[in-house]
Amino acid sequence: MNAKHIESKFAAMGARLEVREIASRWQLGDRKWIDPVDYAVDIRRDGDGEFFELRMPTHLSETVETTVLQCEPKQRHLLLLIRKPGEAPQLDRFLCGHDEREWFVAAVPGGASSVRQAMDALQPGDVRVALARHHVSSRKRYERKNRAFRRQGEWFFVPEPALVVDEQLVLRNEPLRRGGGKPHLVEQLYRTGGETVHVCAKHPNGILDKDYRELVRVNPKAAHWAWRVMRRNPGVYARGTVHHSDHATITLPVWHRVVMNTETQSRTMANVAFLD
């Protein structure tokens, strides 16, 4: 892996990249590498501010190939490709860049070969439909605010001005989060449909009721893990202000449908340690 070449590409967009090798451990009984099994892309902070970190297990350091497919210095974005060889080579793509106040890294689904293609791939279907319906130009389709949507981090808000909801079911100052990331605090939130899940710190994405009951049966102590009952994958609508410590506050004067970017559809999401 040509670390210096990759570091120069990150430097071109005003960022630092540090490649850190981590000693791998070999499990004799199962004859496999463990702890860590795979590489990780993260954003860390030191005395000089934020930096990107690529953590590479030593057993992968000689075989994994890393390259930057495209760097857009003015836009402060680049598309990173990590190739793991094998009978079926694994090609992992990550969009790295700067959004408002902070650096970010996002796993990109599909086969993007440019920054623009990566940004397109991260826009969910509902957003693409709204962009087409409102005839948003290619220049404005990646902005955080246009006729089709508002965006804050990984969340898109698509206007639904005709939506009528039962005000008694509207939640106030409700957190909106992906996994264990920092929450986006929504002034008014309305949910409909979805499936009931049990959520705790050990299971931030939630588990179904049958899985919860089985877990508690096998491990009775799990019943004391500060669970919350929530809805997973419901229809979610937001109105009012949306706050997040890393982003400028946005205001939604009418109801907006809430949709997350497509990062979770990428297999390489498991290699992203960074959570907004």
Side-chain angles (χ1 to χ4, degrees):
M1 180 173 63
N2 188 347
K4 290 193 178 298
H5 174 71
I6 304 299
E7 289 168 0
S8 70
K9 296 295 185 180
F10 276 82
M13 69 171 185
R16 288 184 294 143
L17 170 69
E18 294 190 9
V19 179
R20 183 160 65 97
E21 286 195 14
I22 302 176
S24 305
R25 291 196 298 124
W26 177 258
Q27 191 172 53
L28 289 175
D30 294 333
R31 298 187 60 79
K32 64 180 182 180
W33 290 105
I34 60 170
D35 192 29
V37 175
D38 210 346
Y39 71 88
V41 184
D42 198 1
I43 293 177
R44 306 290 298 277
R45 181 181 291 274
D46 60 15
D48 295 321
E50 287 188 324
F51 64 94
F52 290 86
E53 182 179 74
L54 175 58
R55 295 192 289 273
M56 188 67 64
T58 51
H59 72 276
L60 293 178
S61 60
E62 296 299 323
T63 56
V64 167
E65 300 174 11
T66 306
T67 188
V68 172
L69 293 177
Q70 186 186 28
C71 179
E72 293 280 4
K74 290 184 179 180
Q75 196 175 355
R76 303 180 80 183
H77 281 49
L78 63 76
L79 181 59
L80 180 68
L81 174 70
I82 298 181
R83 183 181 188 275
K84 292 175 63 177
E87 293 183 6
Q90 180 177 318
L91 301 176
D92 299 339
R93 291 167 170 81
F94 302 91
L95 182 65
C96 304
H98 195 273
D99 186 28
E100 294 188 80
R101 304 170 182 170
E102 309 286 342
W103 294 103
F104 74 90
V105 55
V108 179
S113 59
S114 68
V115 168
R116 177 165 289 197
Q117 288 178 4
M119 296 174 75
D120 283 335
L122 286 168
Q123 290 182 337
D126 287 350
V127 167
R128 292 196 295 271
V129 169
L131 287 167
R133 183 171 65 246
H134 291 280
H135 305 288
V136 178
S137 68
S138 58
R139 182 175 61 86
K140 293 185 176 182
R141 66 181 293 118
Y142 308 114
E143 295 181 355
R144 288 188 293 274
K145 179 182 179 181
N146 55 45
R147 291 196 302 271
F149 63 79
R150 299 290 302 273
R151 182 178 65 80
Q152 189 182 75
E154 69 271 33
W155 296 100
F156 291 86
F157 302 88
V158 180
E160 295 283 357
L163 180 69
V164 177
V165 308
D166 184 344
E167 292 293 335
Q168 293 184 340
L169 300 179
V170 174
L171 303 170
R172 310 286 173 172
N173 300 316
E174 185 74 0
L176 188 67
R177 74 172 78 223
R178 174 193 66 179
K182 290 179 285 186
H184 298 245
L185 195 63
V186 183
E187 184 178 3
Q188 298 179 48
L189 198 76
Y190 174 74
R191 292 188 176 97
T192 179
E195 57 187 1
T196 301
V197 293
H198 297 260
V199 178
C200 71
K202 294 180 183 292
H203 297 276
N205 291 322
I207 59 176
L208 296 173
D209 188 63
K210 63 181 180 62
D211 298 319
Y212 169 77
R213 292 198 303 269
E214 176 63 16
L215 176 63
V216 172
R217 185 188 68 81
V218 174
N219 179 14
K221 292 183 179 179
H224 305 289
W225 288 353
W227 295 91
R228 290 182 299 152
V229 177
M230 301 182 70
R231 304 292 292 177
R232 184 167 63 190
N233 298 327
V236 180
Y237 300 87
R239 186 174 65 182
T241 56
V242 184
H243 298 276
H244 189 278
S245 58
D246 295 340
H247 302 280
T249 297
I250 64 175
T251 301
L252 309 173
V254 300
W255 286 109
H256 284 60
R257 184 159 23 103
V258 182
V259 287
M260 194 173 68
N261 71 17
T262 62
E263 186 177 6
T264 55
Q265 299 175 19
S266 172
R267 179 197 66 249
T268 58
M269 180 69 181
N271 297 94
V272 176
F274 166 74
L275 285 176
D276 189 2

